[in-house]
Structure formats: C-alpha cells, structure tokens
C-alpha cells in the first residue's frame, strides 16, 4: 500500500548546486504535505509543508512545489550544503478525517564538496 | 527550543516480555503520536492520542499495544508481549493543533531490539 512514493532512493549533488527531491502520491484525499529530514540515530525533523490550496511554499533555501493534477510534489534545496546530507521523507495527510502522517520511503541526499 | 524527548534510547528485551517506551511531548502540544520504523522500511503510523483517548490507530496497533498519558507530561507506549517483529525504531511525535498547522514534531526515537 504505497500511497506515498519516493522513487529515487538516493541522490548526489555538488555543494552549491540545486537538489531536487521528488514525491508522488496516489490518494486524492491527501491535502497537506510535509517534508522531513532525518539524520542517522535521530528522529525526523520537520522542514517545510504545503497545503493543497497552494502550489508553492518557500522557506529560505527550501521550496516545495505541489502539482495536484499530477499528484506530485518536489522539494528544492538551493544552494545545497554538505550539512544537507541526510534522508529526506515526504509525508502526506488528509486533514479532514485523520491526523496520521503517511510517509514515503525516503531519499538519501549526499551533498559533495 | 522545545523538543520531544524519549527514553530509553535503546531497549533490549526478550521475546514475550513487556516493554514501556516513554516520551515527553512538547509542553503546549495537545496531540500525541507513536510511529515506528523497521530497519530499511518507511516510517509507519501506529496511533494518535488526543484528550486522553485514542483518536486513530493502525492495523499494527493490535491488542498487544497500549498508550497512556499517566500525568501531565509523559506519554507512554506499552507492548505487552514483545515479538521478534516488534524490533524497530519507535518515534513519539506531538503537534500543537490540527487547525492551520499540521506539523508533527518527532523525538529522537527508541531503538527496540527483541531477542
């Protein structure tokens, strides 16, 4: 039951360049989306979120884009920094009926010097 | 900055034993959650808790699991009779409200190893 999918298990980007992490979802009832970053042996850390009434949300170096018709969202990190190296999880929520987050499988981002 | 804390960081137990995982959510938060992540798999929802009762639970959260908020600060997950397949990282999370902001803030996790 993969309602949230992150098809790229890993991504390598040079420092200073843009990192683009992708996420697809199948459940059309999802109307709120979040990105989390996770370092080894730590819990997920909230990064940025977007409501389905928007198509873009920006916070510093992080921007999330939502394409509802394609059921696709992406996280852009620019410029990428070595400290951004972590696993990034996309999560989705149906705000009307449930509070649980449904997570994707994660994408491991490696930012190289 | 307020954060969710969890104890212990690592728990080793024998199959069939009871374990209690403890969490202290962020103080002004009203909604509490448990998730788990089996090694190599995605983070999975177990249960949500609001106003001293379970508001939602997953298929994983069977009769062997229970949650409790025994006082004003702690939130616990109990597994009555652990199985090998319960070995996982268990994350507690909390959120302030379910209106406007739906962000959930996670603790560092408890690694449960069942032998």
């Amino acid at each position: 039951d993969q309602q949230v999918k992150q098809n790229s298990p890993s991504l390598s980007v040079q420092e200073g360049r843009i990192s683009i992490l992708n996420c697809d979802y199948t459940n059309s009832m999802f109307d709120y989306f979040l990105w989390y970053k996770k370092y080894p042996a730590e819990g997920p850390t909230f990064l940025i979120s977007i409501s389905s009434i928007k198509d873009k949300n920006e916070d510093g170096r992080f921007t999330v884009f939502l394409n509802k018709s394609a059921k696709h969202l992406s996280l852009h990190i620019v410029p990428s920094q070595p400290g951004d190296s972590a696993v990034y999880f996309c999560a989705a929520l149906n705000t009307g009926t449930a509070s649980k987050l449904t997570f994707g499988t994660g994408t491991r981002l490696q930012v190289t010097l | 900055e307020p954060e969710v804390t969890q104890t212990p960081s690592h728990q080793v137990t024998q199959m069939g034993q009871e374990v209690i995982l403890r969490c202290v959510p962020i103080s002004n938060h009203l909604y509490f959650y448990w998730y788990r992540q089996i090694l190599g798999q995605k983070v999975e929802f177990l249960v949500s808790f609001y106003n001293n009762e379970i508001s939602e639970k997953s298929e994983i959260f069977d009769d062997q699991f229970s949650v409790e908020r025994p006082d004003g600060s702690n939130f616990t997950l109990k597994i009555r009779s652990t199985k090998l397949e319960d070995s996982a990282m268990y994350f507690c999370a909390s959120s302030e409200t379910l209106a406007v902001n739906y962000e959930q803030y996670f603790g560092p996790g408890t690694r449960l190893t069942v032998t």
Side-chain angles (χ1 to χ4, degrees), chain A residues 10-54:
Chain A
S10 63
L11 175 68
S12 183
V13 171
Q14 273 192 323
E15 181 181 12
R17 301 287 193 112
I18 185 170
S19 295
I20 300 176
L21 297 101
N22 294 303
C23 177
D24 297 293
Y25 61 97
T26 57
N27 189 338
S28 57
M29 298 303 293
F30 288 146
D31 59 355
Y32 200 85
F33 305 90
L34 307 92
W35 283 95
Y36 284 84
K37 177 167 84 170
K38 187 179 181 302
Y39 294 117
E42 294 185 13
T45 301
F46 169 72
L47 271 179
I48 191 168
S49 61
I50 188 167
S51 165
S52 62
I53 62 174
K54 296 184 176 182

Side-chain angles (χ1 to χ4, degrees), chain B residues 44-91:
Chain B
E44 300 175 289
F45 169 78
L46 292 178
V47 65
S48 59
F49 191 86
Y50 168 70
N51 201 24
N52 275 324
E53 59 182 31
I54 290 173
S55 49
E56 189 176 2
K57 61 183 180 179
S58 72
E59 296 172 352
I60 303 168
F61 194 90
D62 61 22
D63 292 345
Q64 293 301 311
F65 291 86
S66 62
V67 289
E68 193 178 33
R69 189 155 162 82
D71 53 41
S73 59
N74 290 284
F75 180 50
T76 62
L77 174 69
K78 181 193 290 186
I79 309 175
R80 287 189 185 82
S81 178
T82 50
K83 298 179 267 211
L84 294 176
E85 55 264 38
D86 293 327
S87 296
M89 282 291 290
Y90 287 79
F91 295 106

Side-chain angles (χ1 to χ4, degrees), chain B residues 13 36-39 79 82-90 111-115:
Chain B
T13 189
R36 78 174 186 189
Q37 184 181 28
I38 295 171
L39 188 64
I79 309 175
T82 50
K83 298 179 267 211
L84 294 176
E85 55 264 38
D86 293 327
S87 296
M89 282 291 290
Y90 287 79
R111 178 173 299 282
L112 176 65
T113 302
V114 182
T115 62

Side-chain angles (χ1 to χ4, degrees), chain A residues 61-105:
Chain A
R61 296 186 298 115
F62 302 92
T63 303
V64 55
F65 295 92
L66 175 63
N67 181 335
K68 279 197 304 183
S69 61
K71 294 191 177 69
H72 176 83
L73 60 154
S74 61
L75 174 68
H76 292 210
I77 307 172
V78 56
S80 301
Q81 299 173 353
D84 296 329
S85 297
V87 178
Y88 288 78
F89 291 97
C90 168
L93 174 63
N94 175 352
T95 62
T97 62
S99 58
K100 68 177 185 181
L101 295 177
T102 301
F103 281 86
T105 49

